[in-house]
Amino acid sequence: MPDWVHARCREIGERIREARLEAGLSQVRLGERIGRDHRTIHRWEYAQRVPDLRDLLLLADVLETSLPELLGERPPRQG
């Protein structure tokens, strides 16, 4: 796997953590809200595992953010 992939996974994990803290949720509570174990949340936040699309959609909903914002989408390149 290219290094940039792991770096992006770390960035996404950090965004998940930041959004969770802003929402005032513990890993346990967030896990309960989306049907995942708190250890899974921890693994996502520290890029040990990656959430699938369904998980990302649930996270964005519970954390009241958009999927592009959670993923840190960059604007399209110009020309």
Side-chain angles (χ1 to χ4, degrees):
M1 192 70 58
D3 289 340
W4 67 266
V5 173
H6 189 65
R8 286 286 286 143
C9 289
R10 279 194 313 269
E11 291 171 10
I12 292 167
E14 289 170 9
R15 278 191 206 69
I16 292 170
R17 183 175 187 277
E18 289 169 5
R20 175 180 62 78
L21 293 173
E22 284 179 22
L25 297 172
S26 67
Q27 289 177 342
V28 171
R29 186 69 183 120
L30 177 57
E32 291 171 351
R33 301 266 312 265
I34 67 167
R36 295 288 185 210
D37 188 81
H38 71 277
R39 290 179 296 249
T40 299
I41 305 300
H42 175 86
R43 290 176 186 131
W44 293 341
E45 290 181 356
Y46 291 91
Q48 296 167 345
R49 298 276 189 272
V50 293
D52 66 20
L53 180 57
R54 288 182 194 109
D55 293 322
L56 289 168
L57 292 169
L58 289 168
L59 285 167
D61 182 58
V62 168
L63 297 173
E64 298 181 357
T65 188
S66 68
L67 191 54
E69 193 172 310
L70 191 61
L71 295 176
E73 290 296 307
R74 297 177 177 119
R77 293 184 211 178
Q78 298 295 321

